[in-house]
Amino acid sequence: VEWKPNTASVTKKILKNGTEVDANSAGISDTVVYRLAGDIPNWTGYDKFRLLFEDTLSKGLTFTRITKVTVDGGLCTADGGSTFSVAFAPDSNGVSDLIAHKDRFPVGKRVVVEYEATVNKDAKINTGAGGTSNDNTVSVRYSHRPGNADDLGTTPGNTVKTYVGRLNVVKH
């Protein structure tokens, strides 16, 4: 019998005036704040346990910076780009290992990451009601086989949407 942890999960929201929403509207060069949240999976029985949040921004969004990470004082590193990954409790090689810092990553503890992205010139412009959006998707990767921390399972998260409108000015 092989012990496996509970399935890891992550949710994503847009923060609009401090409120979590699934969609927003913005203009080119506006900053959008995102929140990723999930719980530490059950790592009991593992010698090493990896946990990563992986985020994929559409072509119309540019990752700016991580503004907040909370995991009961936990450690975090991140790399930027149109896809980025947050590795919790990285070792000297940047590889996640929660077991090495298990006092800071207790099973079931809430993990929250907030970051900013800027709407750029490549954003899709919404020309109709409920039309084109700039999507932002998240997933979580985690060790799912004791004895092999590098064998990662992936659980998809949700997608949030940023709509960019067009303003037509007519001179009379």
Side-chain angles (χ1 to χ4, degrees), residues 26 29 98 106-107 115-116 125 127 140 166:
S29 79
L98 299 189
V107 173
Y115 74 92
E116 296 176 348
I125 305 298
T127 57
V140 61
R166 179 186 321 206

Side-chain angles (χ1 to χ4, degrees), residues 64-77:
T64 308
R65 65 188 179 110
I66 291 179
T67 58
K68 181 179 180 183
V69 178
T70 58
V71 191
D72 199 28
L75 308 170
C76 155
T77 62

Side-chain angles (χ1 to χ4, degrees), residues 16 34-35 58 85-86 105 139 142 150 152-153 165:
K16 185 175 180 180
Y34 296 94
R35 177 179 286 159
S58 71
S85 178
V86 178
F105 295 94
S139 64
Y142 60 98
D150 295 327
L152 301 178

Side-chain angles (χ1 to χ4, degrees), residues 10-11 15-16 21 31 50-51 58 63 67 73 76-77 81 103 112-114 117-118 121 131 139 152 157 159 163 170:
V10 62
T11 57
L15 290 179
K16 185 175 180 180
V21 297
T31 298
R50 296 180 64 191
L51 178 68
S58 71
F63 173 79
T67 58
C76 155
T77 62
D103 58 319
V112 177
V113 176
E114 292 180 7
T118 303
K121 64 179 180 56
S139 64
L152 301 178
T159 299
Y163 295 93
V170 179

Side-chain angles (χ1 to χ4, degrees), residues 11-137:
T11 57
K12 170 184 271 190
K13 296 291 183 180
I14 295 170
L15 290 179
K16 185 175 180 180
N17 301 322
T19 302
E20 292 184 348
V21 297
D22 292 320
N24 72 327
S25 58
I28 304 297
S29 79
D30 284 353
T31 298
V32 181
V33 179
Y34 296 94
R35 177 179 286 159
L36 312 176
D39 297 327
I40 302 292
N42 187 350
W43 42 254
T44 305
Y46 286 77
D47 295 326
K48 186 174 184 178
F49 190 90
R50 296 180 64 191
L51 178 68
L52 300 99
F53 286 174
E54 295 187 328
D55 198 283
T56 304
L57 289 77
S58 71
K59 197 170 136 180
L61 296 166
T62 302
F63 173 79
T64 308
R65 65 188 179 110
I66 291 179
T67 58
K68 181 179 180 183
V69 178
T70 58
V71 191
D72 199 28
L75 308 170
C76 155
T77 62
D79 54 32
S82 61
T83 299
F84 73 91
S85 178
V86 178
F88 296 96
D91 63 16
S92 60
N93 296 317
V95 176
S96 173
D97 182 12
L98 299 189
I99 303 301
H101 300 280
K102 61 185 174 185
D103 58 319
R104 295 183 185 186
F105 295 94
V107 173
K109 191 71 177 173
R110 193 78 169 152
V111 176
V112 177
V113 176
E114 292 180 7
Y115 74 92
E116 296 176 348
T118 303
V119 179
N120 65 46
K121 64 179 180 56
D122 296 321
K124 295 177 183 174
I125 305 298
N126 185 26
T127 57
T132 306
S133 63
N134 296 276
D135 296 348
N136 188 330
T137 303

